[in-house]
């Protein structure tokens, strides 16, 4: 229930481009597709970056690893299209073994300098949420990869001076949204696009045996009863805001 907590409303007045950095195909859809849909409707250009290839996300022995990688890319592309997200970047790290290596930090930094987003959405780098949930190591490491690229690398010209030759100048973001955080501060009301978000989640057919049951479960689990008796849906983030130079 949200009544006893005060959240900030999102401020996208100065936001033209957004980069969503997540570990797996389907992570953007569960964590922030409603927000992405609302942003895209306002003309904000949203890009998804998927760090791993998702090759552990199915138990069917008849599907080969390479088939699964292709399926999951295709599912994520369809989901993104449904949300108005025009670009999806697949970074191809191995599912289940994502680490914040210097190599992936450089590749992510290059994309941040190329896309130049005002706002980045990433996953939570912490090990636990609250007292009953261990964060998936890929989600935690995806959060670390994102944070370490954002700071100190992306806006510091001493990092990767060779990128200047490619035309990618340092870039400082203005806002960061961390999803899956135990103490969120920003609340996005996604009620009007919740069904569209569900459809995006259901694009990930390789992940669900009973999609209709999942949809029902999500409708029930995520709806929040309001004092006026209505049910509303939200995505919440820990929000950080950075000074401009
Ligand atoms: Zn995931």
């Amino acid at each position: 229930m949200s009544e006893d907590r005060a959240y900030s409303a999102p401020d996208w007045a100065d936001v033209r481009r957004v980069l969503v950095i997540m570990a797996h195909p389907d992570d953007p859809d569960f964590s922030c597709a409603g927000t992405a849909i609302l942003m895209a409707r306002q003309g904000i250009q949203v890009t998804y970056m998927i760090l791993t290839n998702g090759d552990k996300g199915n138990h069917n022995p008849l599907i080969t690893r390479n088939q699964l990688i292709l399926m999951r890319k295709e599912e994520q592309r369809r989901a993104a299209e449904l949300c108005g997200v025009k670009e999806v970047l697949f970074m191809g790290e191995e599912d289940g073994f994502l680490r914040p290596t210097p190599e992936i930090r450089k590749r992510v930094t290059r994309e941040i300098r190329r896309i130049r987003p005002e706002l980045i959405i990433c996953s939570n780098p912490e090990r636990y949420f609250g007292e009953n949930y261990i964060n998936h190591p890929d989600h935690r490491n995806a959060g670390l990869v994102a944070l370490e690229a954002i700071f100190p690398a992306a806006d510091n010209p001493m990092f990767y001076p060779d990128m200047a030759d490619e035309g990618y100048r340092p870039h400082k973001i203005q806002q960061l949204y961390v999803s899956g955080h135990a103490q969120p501060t920003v609340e996005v009301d996604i009620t009007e696009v919740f069904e569209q978000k569900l459809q995006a989640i259901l694009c990930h057919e390789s992940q669900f045996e009973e999609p209709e049951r999942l949809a029902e479960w999500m409708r029930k689990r995520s709806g929040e009863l309001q004092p006026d008796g209505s049910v509303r849906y939200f995505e919440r983030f820990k929000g950080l805001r950075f000074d401009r130079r």
Side-chain angles (χ1 to χ4, degrees), residues 15-20 39 44-48 115 117-121:
V15 176
R16 288 181 299 147
R17 288 177 297 266
V18 170
L19 177 61
V20 176
M39 287 171 159
I44 295 170
Q45 176 198 309
V46 183
T47 301
Y48 287 168
I115 296 166
E118 287 82 19
L119 190 156
I120 285 181
I121 302 178

Side-chain angles (χ1 to χ4, degrees), residues 185-212:
T185 53
V186 176
E187 176 178 87
V188 182
D189 186 330
I190 61 158
T191 308
E192 62 172 314
V193 298
F194 180 73
E195 284 299 320
Q196 201 177 335
K197 167 179 170 143
L198 263 187
Q199 292 314 308
I201 290 173
L202 295 179
C203 287
H204 299 277
E205 287 169 8
S206 65
Q207 302 305 295
F208 318 118
E209 285 175 7
E210 297 182 277
E212 270 322 305

Side-chain angles (χ1 to χ4, degrees), residues 22-28 30 52 72 95 136 138-139:
M22 295 278 158
H24 308 119
D26 85 11
D27 288 346
F30 280 105
T52 77
R72 299 205 69 188
D95 191 350
H136 187 297
D138 283 352
H139 296 172

Side-chain angles (χ1 to χ4, degrees), residues 126-197:
E126 291 171 15
R127 287 189 166 79
Y128 331 97
F129 308 152
E131 292 174 0
N132 59 0
Y133 186 72
I134 298 174
N135 199 2
H136 187 297
D138 283 352
H139 296 172
R140 169 160 53 87
N141 283 319
L144 278 180
V145 167
L147 293 189
E148 292 178 359
I150 293 165
F151 180 82
D155 80 327
N156 184 334
M158 304 304 275
F159 276 81
Y160 317 125
D162 51 312
M163 277 183 208
D165 303 336
E166 300 174 69
Y168 301 147
R169 292 169 292 112
H171 176 71
K172 183 173 182 177
I173 66 168
Q174 295 167 19
Q175 295 187 63
L176 175 67
Y177 284 1
V178 181
S179 77
H181 200 279
Q183 286 97 35
T185 53
V186 176
E187 176 178 87
V188 182
D189 186 330
I190 61 158
T191 308
E192 62 172 314
V193 298
F194 180 73
E195 284 299 320
Q196 201 177 335
K197 167 179 170 143

